[in-house]
Amino acid sequence: MFFRNLGKSGLRVSCLGLGTWVTFGSQISNEMAESVMTVAYDSGVNLFDTAEVYASGRAETTLGNILKKKTWRRSSYVVTTKIYWGGQAETERGLSRKHIIEGLRGSLSRLQLDYVDIVFANRSDINAPMEEIVRAMTFVIDQGMAMYWGTSRWNAVEIMYLTWVGAMTWSPLACGLLTGKYNEGVPESSRAAMKGYAWLKERLYSDEGKKQLTKIKELHLLADRLNCTAAQLAIAWCLRSEGVSSVLLGVSNTEQLLENLGSIRVLAQLTPPLIAEMDALLGNKPRSAKKEARS
């Protein structure tokens, strides 16, 4: 495991972090969640990400119970959560000062923590003035409820108003598409078969989804050449970017976690010619300039 500064801060985070979206409090048992977290921590992962909306708060509760049970020093790991969708009431969602403060208090209660290391605004809010958002985030930091704050899924124009720069990437395997599990259909135990994820199944059977699956099969052939899995190749592709501080992993068992952690050794194989080959295959090369591969 290696570590990078998170954005322009001095906070050092593991290049691979563990996410809890879909899995904690929902897809996997609490026992499996604890096993996954233990293996991750023992492997050098120090970043654990969640959100108030994940499994209606149960993901935070599960994460908090595990952290309370463990004897890990609080100073040895980083916990991040996200605020926006908190409840059904109009005042329980969005980025008003009221919800940022009350939402984070709710998250801390479920996590059983005095503070989170980073609180993210989980999306932009056209109803909340930027000044109100910044002042509310500054307040929760001044009150010791968070160390840093950041943004999630904000566009470039919105981020221009802020000074926090850097990225944590999520869903590096495109909800499992890149693993190849959907190449021959939708397995019963997969995310696309879960209640509430009909949008993912529809995406798979769409014309665009079929095109993506064809590209994924070619990506698997490229992974075979490198003696790695397509999942490891995809995660390494994310890691090689200079602007990425940490890649969040979403796994449902320890075997998947160990496989994904193996992406670090693949990183050294991503030479400029190989990156160019992947860009040509996928056809999704970002337009922005600095996209040099790490060697």
Side-chain angles (χ1 to χ4, degrees):
M1 189 65 63
F2 60 89
F3 300 82
R4 292 173 175 169
N5 281 46
L6 185 62
K8 290 187 176 180
S9 75
L11 183 62
R12 300 284 286 175
V13 296
S14 52
C15 64
L16 297 177
L18 182 64
T20 60
W21 181 45
V22 181
T23 51
F24 281 38
S26 179
Q27 186 181 27
I28 64 177
S29 67
N30 293 342
E31 292 75 21
M32 179 57 72
E34 182 177 350
S35 296
V36 166
M37 275 193 68
T38 302
V39 171
Y41 185 83
D42 290 343
S43 299
V45 172
N46 74 349
L47 173 63
F48 301 101
D49 176 75
T50 189
E52 63 172 350
V53 70
Y54 292 172
S56 301
R58 294 190 303 276
E60 289 181 322
T61 299
T62 301
L63 178 60
N65 288 338
I66 295 171
L67 290 173
K68 185 176 182 179
K69 183 178 179 180
K70 294 297 180 180
T71 57
W72 304 334
R73 298 185 314 282
R74 179 62 183 91
S75 56
S76 69
Y77 58 84
V78 172
V79 175
T80 69
T81 195
K82 306 178 203 68
I83 299 296
Y84 190 91
W85 293 280
Q88 298 301 313
E90 188 67 22
T91 52
E92 293 176 327
R93 64 177 75 97
L95 297 177
S96 66
R97 178 183 177 88
K98 177 178 174 64
H99 183 57
I100 287 175
I101 296 172
E102 293 178 344
L104 183 53
R105 283 177 179 157
S107 291
L108 292 177
S109 176
R110 289 186 290 273
L111 288 165
Q112 303 176 69
L113 295 175
D114 295 327
Y115 67 92
V116 291
D117 296 274
I118 310 169
V119 56
F120 287 98
N122 206 6
R123 57 160 290 177
S124 60
D125 184 356
I126 60 173
N127 295 312
M130 189 66 71
E131 183 177 355
E132 179 177 351
I133 296 170
V134 173
R135 286 182 179 275
M137 289 297 191
T138 301
F139 175 82
V140 297
I141 290 174
D142 289 343
Q143 293 296 306
M145 299 164 68
M147 299 286 191
Y148 305 87
W149 77 277
T151 62
S152 175
R153 298 188 291 183
W154 285 34
N155 63 43
V157 174
E158 292 160 340
I159 293 175
M160 280 175 59
Y161 289 100
L162 308 174
T163 58
W164 192 90
V165 179
M168 281 170 34
T169 65
W170 59 284
S171 198
L173 302 181
C175 295
L177 265 70
L178 293 174
T179 65
K181 70 170 68 175
Y182 298 115
N183 285 356
E184 306 302 328
V186 178
E188 289 186 10
S189 60
S190 67
R191 185 173 300 182
M194 291 175 60
K195 182 180 179 180
Y197 288 86
W199 59 267
L200 181 54
K201 181 181 283 189
E202 291 172 4
R203 172 182 169 187
L204 289 169
Y205 290 127
S206 68
D207 290 339
E208 182 60 30
K210 292 174 182 177
K211 291 178 183 178
Q212 290 178 342
L213 289 174
T214 299
K215 292 181 179 180
I216 288 169
K217 290 178 181 179
E218 295 182 48
L219 189 66
H220 275 249
L221 297 176
L222 184 56
D224 289 340
R225 278 170 37 199
L226 298 178
N227 195 29
C228 69
T229 66
Q232 291 171 333
L233 180 58
I235 295 168
W237 185 89
C238 294
L239 273 176
R240 115 280 185 202
S241 174
E242 294 277 355
V244 172
S245 299
S246 187
V247 176
L248 297 177
L249 307 176
V251 299
S252 56
N253 55 58
T254 53
E255 290 74 20
Q256 287 181 2
L257 175 62
L258 291 171
E259 176 191 349
N260 291 354
L261 291 174
S263 60
I264 294 176
R265 67 172 176 78
V266 179
L267 189 58
Q269 302 180 63
L270 298 191
T271 60
L274 186 66
I275 292 296
E277 187 175 351
M278 290 182 68
D279 287 339
L281 169 63
L282 299 174
N284 62 350
K285 183 177 180 180
R287 294 179 182 177
S288 74
K290 202 174 175 183
K291 291 293 173 184
E292 292 290 328
R294 288 177 179 268
S295 56

